[in-house]
């Protein structure tokens, strides 16, 4: 296990880049760190919520299969004595898990956990982590059109249930109308914690687990995040949706006739690991088909990752799990939610912008974005000033209270510094400024966002910012204005990788390529629980938000469409269909670019950008059963007890033929070339299943990564039946030049091509110590 950790950190070092140990709560906040919560009583006994994992007992241990028997057994692990303090007299058990995991969450002191380790059945325990939270046009951008294609074939996701774990929901929003939505399927067992008749055929379930609650009132969304993600996944059709008149059109989620089951596990302060597990546990029992989690934490081994453990329990029941990759880009190895049984989703742009152009006194124009587009802002040039002219960093970032009098001027502010973008504009407005030009740091490149600023503003990219600063310093009387051009559709560079989207390689399992896929996550318009009011004009019940939190529910909704179209497909089959049909070119037909406007690498794009219509007819799929992950987990050098935490099965790796990570039947390849011994040929097999025409022939198309050699056997796959499986072997070997040109990784693809289908598996190669 230590060798695995060393290799992961060595890879990061060789990439020459740092990684991030936390994720931002939301892109608008830019920075946040969330710590586990602890309580201290009057006797200085430090108590906090621990997640406790136990060995799954044999069934005969119980007189019945009731949940009460299981929970009674859990209680035998709790302290038998009651301390004198009021704090320790409070109920200890927070959540009892029964579906996705064997164990519980409880309020404990470190000493009590230590004593618990001696009890029969105990596996491990760790302090609960507090995890951060990580559209009118996006359906059309993805090729989803009313009455056509995948929407028509799946009847808009009818009968499929999407479970969303988030901040709750605003149930009376028009996006959650059940007009045209059929009643839920008979298998549904969930509950609605809202009063009266708020729940309907669209919103069929609503539970509140936040703060350790299980029946603690309705899951009202006080933050907005959950309402936005839920409507992105499965919001119904709403005509005339817009924010301040921008992006006007008919809003809908990806699966507008699918059902929604809401599980509140988060607030603006974050999401408790124990609550997340409790919600996953209940969602599985309720009967959801898809789970969507736009949240996550830093990389940890899968046996210490509550989301990975809960997700494994879900896929064992045939439930698809989609999670956000995180907002810690553009740094490498910054991913969350890395488990191979999870679809890990990065973020990219759509071809729509809300354009605001900075016009300088020298006539130069630089396009940026702003959701607030005032109609009465004069095109007359105004004085242009740099917020950091006083030499103070806080002023450069337009931090609260940092600016002096800037009456009537357009103020140039730097992005970042722990100050939310909208708050920068609020500081400029407070100081008398007429408008703001927000410029990116170099790490954010060309990635800009449409925000509901509180004053006239534009957000421009790094290169534009450098040129604007050069102009500002070139004249004694710099001037500028902002030209507001409204909603513009047709960016040929879309989809572009956005700077905040977290990147691979995976730390937890470097032999699995992550992220898996990218989808729309920038300036996404979707439902909002309260009127969006920037204090300037108008209000709206929709909002534009950015983050991998937004790209995740796009893929969750698409997975629901595929589940509706192919109800017999496993979670792995749906993932395979999404990945092997992904697009790697933009609307101009050129390679997808990142925030630098240069071709994005494989650790940013994964397999590429989702193409829902092609995913509905992939031709071949790489399928994986839950039990297939056990040899993989043994290959990670996890102990039998650690694997049992994940799988809820008694495992003996000495009796299992462990496999290397890259041997898992995954729709991509991640190859590590290390020492001279490792540079020898590496052989990995894959098995593909024919889900296209019975009589199909596929020929090999290979793009070999630079400085590598490859061979594949056989090179032709001939199928005669539907669901027929064929296994092929791929050989990878490093050439003498590998890693000597200063490039630490390479990429390529293995593609099977028939008359009707193209099935692509991306390949990454890391030269770890060449």
């Amino acid at each position: 296990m230590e060798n695995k950790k060393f290799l992961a950190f060595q890879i990061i070092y060789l990439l020459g880049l740092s990684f991030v140990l936390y994720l931002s709560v939301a892109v608008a906040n830019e920075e946040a760190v969330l710590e586990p919560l602890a309580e201290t009583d009057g006797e200085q006994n430090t108590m906090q919520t621990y997640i406790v994992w136990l060995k799954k007992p044999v069934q005969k241990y119980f007189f019945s299969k009731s949940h009460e028997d299981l929970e009674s057994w859990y209680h035998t692990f709790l302290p038998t004595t009651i301390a004198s303090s009021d704090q320790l007299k409070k109920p200890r058990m927070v959540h009892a898990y029964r579906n996705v995991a064997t164990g519980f969450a409880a309020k404990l002191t470190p000493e009590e956990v230590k004593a618990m380790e001696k009890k029969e059945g105990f596996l491990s325990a760790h302090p609960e982590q507090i995890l951060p939270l990580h559209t009118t046009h996006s359906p059309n951008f993805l090729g989803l059109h009313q009455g056509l294609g995948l929407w028509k074939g799946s009847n808009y996701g009818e009968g499929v249930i999407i479970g969303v774990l988030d901040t709750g929901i605003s149930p009376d929003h028009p996006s959650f109308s059940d007009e045209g939505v059929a009643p839920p399927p008979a298998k549904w067992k969930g509950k609605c914690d809202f009063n009266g008749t708020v729940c309907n055929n669209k919103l069929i379930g609503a539970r509140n687990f936040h703060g350790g609650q299980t029946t603690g009132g309705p899951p009202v969304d006080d933050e907005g995040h959950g309402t936005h993600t839920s409507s992105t996944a499965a919001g119904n059709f709403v005509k005339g949706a817009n924010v301040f008149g921008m992006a006007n059109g008919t809003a809908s989620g990806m699966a507008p006739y699918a059902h929604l089951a809401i599980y509140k596990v988060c607030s603006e302060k974050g999401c408790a690991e124990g609550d997340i597990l409790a919600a996953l546990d209940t969602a599985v029992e309720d009967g959801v088909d898809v789970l969507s989690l736009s949240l996550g934490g830093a990389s940890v081994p899968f046996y210490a990752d509550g989301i990975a453990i809960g997700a494994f329990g879900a896929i064992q029941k045939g439930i698809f799990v989609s999670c956000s990759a995180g907002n810690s880009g553009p740094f490498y190895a910054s991913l969350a939610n890395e488990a191979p049984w999870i679809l890990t989703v990065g973020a990219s742009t759509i071809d729509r912008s809300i354009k605001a152009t900075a016009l300088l006194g020298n006539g130069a124009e630089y396009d940026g974005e702003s959701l607030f587009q005032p109609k009465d802002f004069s095109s007359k040039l105004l004085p242009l000033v740099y917020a950091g002219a006083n030499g103070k960093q806080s002023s450069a970032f337009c931090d609260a209270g940092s600016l002096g009098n800037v009456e009537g001027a357009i103020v140039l502010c730097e992005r970042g510094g722990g100050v939310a973008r909208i708050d920068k504009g609020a500081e400029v407005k407070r100081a008398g400024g007429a408008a703001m030009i927000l410029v990116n740091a170099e790490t954010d490149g060309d990635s800009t966002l449409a925000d509901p600023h509180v004053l006239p503003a534009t957000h421009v990219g790094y290169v534009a910012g450098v040129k604007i600063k050069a102009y500002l310093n070139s004249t004694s009387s710099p001037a500028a204005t902002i030209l507001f051009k409204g909603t513009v559709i047709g960016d040929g560079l879309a989809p572009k990788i956005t700077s905040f989207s977290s990147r691979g390689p995976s730390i937890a399992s470097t032999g699995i390529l992550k992220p898996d896929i990218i989808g729309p996550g920038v300036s996404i318009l979707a439902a909002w629980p309260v009127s969006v009011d920037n204090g300037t004009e108008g209000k709206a019940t929709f909002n534009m938000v950015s983050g991998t939190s937004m790209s995740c529910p796009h893929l969750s909704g698409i997975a629901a469409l595929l589940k509706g179209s192919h109800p017999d497909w496993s979670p792995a089959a749906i993932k395979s269909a999404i990945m092997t049909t992904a697009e790697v070119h933009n609307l101009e037909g050129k390679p997808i670019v990142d925030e630098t406007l240069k071709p994005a690498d494989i650790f940013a794009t994964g397999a590429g950008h989702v193409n829902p219509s092609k995913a509905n007819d992939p031709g071949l799929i790489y399928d994986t059963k839950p039990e297939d992950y056990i040899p993989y987990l043994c290959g990670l050098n996890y102990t039998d007890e650690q694997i049992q935490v994940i799988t809820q099965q008694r495992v003996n790796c000495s009796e299992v033929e462990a496999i290397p990570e890259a041997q898992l039947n995954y729709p991509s390849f991640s190859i590590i070339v290390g020492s001279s011994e490792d540079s020898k040929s590496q052989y990995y097999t894959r098995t593909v299943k024919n889900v296209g025409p019975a009589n199909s022939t596929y020929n090999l198309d290979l793009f070999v990564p630079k400085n590598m050699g490859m061979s594949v056997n056989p090179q032709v796959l001939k199928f005669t039946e539907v669901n027929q499986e064929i296994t092929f072997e791929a050989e990878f070997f490093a050439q003498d030049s590998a890693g000597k040109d200063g490039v630490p990784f390479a990429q390529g693809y293995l593609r099977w091509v028939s008359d009707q289908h193209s099935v692509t598996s991306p390949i990454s190669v890391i030269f770890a110590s060449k």
Side-chain angles (χ1 to χ4, degrees):
M1 186 63 198
E2 292 303 317
N3 290 337
K4 291 280 185 182
K5 291 180 181 177
F6 176 78
L7 177 59
F9 282 95
Q10 182 188 38
I11 289 168
I12 296 164
Y13 174 78
L14 287 166
L15 285 169
L17 297 148
S18 60
F19 64 96
V20 181
L21 290 177
Y22 62 89
L23 305 181
S24 28
V25 171
V27 179
N29 292 334
E30 311 262 35
E31 291 185 5
V33 181
L34 300 175
E35 302 289 348
L37 300 177
E39 302 172 0
T40 304
D41 73 353
E43 299 175 354
Q44 299 302 308
N45 291 306
T46 301
M47 174 180 286
Q48 63 187 106
T49 302
Y50 279 80
I51 309 297
V52 180
W53 303 123
L54 306 176
K55 295 180 181 178
K56 190 169 187 176
V58 293
Q59 194 62 51
K60 66 180 181 181
Y61 179 91
F62 302 112
F63 294 104
S64 71
K65 297 181 180 180
S66 73
H67 299 154
E68 290 77 9
D69 283 344
L70 186 62
E71 189 166 344
S72 295
W73 181 60
Y74 290 166
H75 273 280
T76 65
F77 287 84
L78 296 180
T80 56
T81 58
I82 301 296
S84 59
S85 71
D86 290 338
Q87 182 61 58
L88 297 184
K89 289 180 181 178
K90 293 181 179 179
R92 297 301 196 94
M93 187 75 72
V94 179
H95 296 295
Y97 309 125
R98 52 188 180 268
N99 296 302
V100 300
T102 303
F104 56 89
K107 299 284 187 182
L108 299 164
T109 66
E111 293 77 14
E112 290 168 341
V113 173
K114 188 71 175 175
M116 191 183 297
E117 293 175 0
K118 302 174 183 177
K119 296 190 176 184
E120 178 65 28
F122 177 89
L123 284 174
S124 64
H126 67 271
E128 171 185 70
Q129 296 298 308
I130 306 300
L131 307 181
L133 293 163
H134 272 156
T135 84
T136 51
H137 182 62
S138 57
N140 288 347
F141 179 70
L142 292 169
L144 297 173
H145 303 281
Q146 285 185 265
L148 299 173
L150 180 54
W151 261 2
K152 181 179 180 181
S154 66
N155 198 22
Y156 307 96
E158 180 180 314
V160 181
I161 303 169
I162 303 175
V164 180
L165 277 65
D166 214 295
T167 61
I169 195 168
S170 180
D172 56 353
H173 194 281
S175 290
F176 308 120
S177 162
D178 65 354
E179 182 179 353
V181 182
K187 69 171 185 174
W188 175 245
K189 301 176 184 177
K191 300 177 182 179
C192 179
D193 285 345
F194 283 110
N195 296 324
T197 58
V198 170
C199 286
N200 55 25
N201 287 338
K202 164 60 70 176
L203 179 59
I204 62 173
R207 304 294 304 277
N208 189 356
F209 293 89
H210 179 250
Q213 303 180 79
T214 54
T215 57
V220 176
D221 185 7
D222 298 317
E223 202 276 345
H225 195 272
T227 298
H228 197 280
T229 57
S230 299
S231 65
T232 301
N236 209 332
F237 296 103
V238 180
K239 295 180 179 179
N242 66 84
V243 185
F244 308 146
M246 297 298 108
N248 188 57
T250 297
S252 79
M254 297 297 100
Y257 286 176
H259 309 287
L260 279 169
I262 304 302
Y263 303 87
K264 181 172 181 175
V265 296
C266 307
S267 69
E268 71 281 356
K269 295 180 180 180
C271 320
E273 184 183 10
D275 297 346
I276 295 168
L277 275 162
L280 289 170
D281 203 61
T282 301
V284 168
E285 188 170 322
D286 287 347
V288 302
D289 299 298
V290 175
L291 282 163
S292 185
L293 289 82
S294 292
L295 49 95
S299 177
V300 293
F302 301 141
Y303 58 80
D305 183 343
I307 293 177
I309 293 166
F312 192 89
I315 65 113
Q316 286 180 305
K317 303 291 186 180
I319 300 168
F320 185 89
V321 183
S322 172
C323 294
S324 50
N327 299 336
S328 294
F331 305 104
Y332 284 91
S334 56
L335 290 166
N337 301 315
E338 302 156 280
W341 48 87
I342 290 173
L343 183 75
T344 309
V345 187
S348 53
T349 65
I350 58 176
D351 64 339
R352 178 187 66 202
S353 64
I354 314 298
K355 190 171 289 188
T357 301
L359 171 63
L360 307 185
N362 61 3
E365 294 186 12
Y366 300 98
D367 290 334
E369 291 193 82
S370 174
L371 187 54
F372 174 45
Q373 301 260 320
K375 298 179 177 63
D376 56 353
F377 189 71
S378 174
S379 59
K380 178 182 177 181
L381 294 174
L382 298 172
L384 175 64
V385 299
Y386 177 52
N390 61 4
K392 295 182 179 180
Q393 192 174 55
S394 61
S395 297
F397 289 121
C398 295
D399 201 356
S402 67
L403 298 182
N405 185 7
V406 290
E407 187 73 31
I410 293 181
V411 181
L412 188 149
C413 298
E414 305 275 4
R415 181 179 178 179
V419 184
R421 296 183 303 276
I422 293 174
D423 290 346
K424 296 174 187 287
E427 171 61 12
V428 172
K429 188 175 183 179
R430 181 203 63 78
M436 174 181 70
I437 298 176
L438 178 62
V439 301
N440 274 350
E442 185 173 7
T443 53
D444 288 309
D446 193 56
S447 294
T448 59
L449 306 166
D451 290 317
H453 291 289
V454 298
L455 82 172
T458 183
H459 178 187
V460 300
Y462 171 71
V463 173
V466 169
K467 293 179 179 179
I468 294 172
K469 291 175 189 175
Y471 160 72
L472 195 150
N473 293 323
S474 71
T475 176
S476 59
S477 55
T481 190
I482 301 175
L483 308 177
F484 294 97
K485 300 179 178 179
T487 305
V488 178
I489 293 176
D491 180 6
L493 292 181
K496 292 185 292 186
I497 298 291
T498 188
S499 62
F500 61 74
S501 186
S502 289
R503 315 294 161 97
S506 167
I507 298 175
S509 182
T510 311
I512 299 294
L513 177 61
K514 291 282 182 170
D516 293 307
I517 199 75
I518 56 173
V522 178
S523 300
I524 300 302
L525 186 145
W528 203 246
V530 295
S531 293
V532 178
D533 182 0
N534 65 349
T536 56
E537 65 168 39
K539 296 183 179 181
T541 56
F542 288 84
N543 197 8
M544 273 191 181
V545 185
S546 300
T548 55
S549 284
M550 284 65 249
S551 51
C552 168
H554 276 89
L555 270 295
S556 305
I558 291 167
L561 296 178
L562 296 175
K563 184 70 174 178
S565 185
H566 303 278
D568 58 328
W569 280 7
S570 69
I574 294 173
K575 175 193 278 192
S576 174
I578 289 171
M579 291 176 61
T580 60
T581 59
E583 299 287 349
V584 295
H585 295 96
N586 57 30
L587 294 180
E588 292 182 349
K590 300 176 181 178
I592 291 173
V593 299
D594 62 16
E595 69 282 347
T596 68
L597 300 184
K598 297 178 181 178
D601 65 54
I602 199 166
F603 296 125
T605 63
H609 190 272
V610 63
N611 184 322
S613 297
K614 286 186 177 180
N616 191 43
D617 183 20
L620 304 176
I621 56 172
Y622 295 79
D623 209 353
T624 305
K625 299 179 178 66
E627 58 267 26
D628 296 335
Y629 292 106
I630 291 176
Y632 158 80
L633 293 170
C634 289
L636 287 176
N637 293 328
Y638 288 176
T639 66
D640 295 347
E641 290 76 17
Q642 289 165 346
I643 296 174
Q644 186 173 344
V645 167
I646 299 168
T647 64
Q648 297 190 80
Q649 300 176 34
R650 295 180 183 271
V651 174
N652 187 344
C653 282
S654 65
E655 299 176 355
V656 174
E657 187 175 345
I659 62 172
E661 298 159 79
Q663 176 57 31
L664 189 66
N665 200 47
Y666 211 68
S668 60
F669 292 87
S670 179
I671 309 301
I672 302 167
V673 177
S675 65
S676 57
E677 184 70 22
D678 291 335
S679 297
K680 296 179 180 178
S681 290
Q682 301 180 40
Y683 297 89
Y684 301 108
T685 61
R686 291 290 190 272
T687 299
V688 289
K689 179 187 292 186
N690 179 28
V691 294
N695 293 298
S696 300
T697 299
Y698 287 83
N699 294 291
L700 178 68
D701 175 20
L702 201 59
F703 183 88
V704 180
K706 185 179 179 181
N707 295 323
M708 291 292 292
M710 279 187 67
S711 67
V712 178
N713 184 43
Q715 297 188 5
V716 178
L717 305 180
K718 294 185 177 181
F719 295 91
T720 58
E721 299 176 11
V722 175
N723 292 326
Q724 179 184 351
E725 294 184 338
I726 296 178
T727 297
F728 65 89
E729 182 180 67
E731 177 191 12
F732 300 86
F733 54 91
Q735 298 176 343
D736 291 340
S737 58
K740 296 180 180 179
D741 56 1
V743 180
F745 65 89
Q747 61 192 62
Y749 61 76
L750 185 159
R751 179 178 294 153
W752 294 107
V753 182
S754 72
D755 292 340
Q756 301 179 38
H757 299 97
S758 179
V759 186
T760 304
S761 292
I763 303 168
S764 69
V765 179
I766 297 174
F767 304 110
S769 59
K770 289 291 289 182

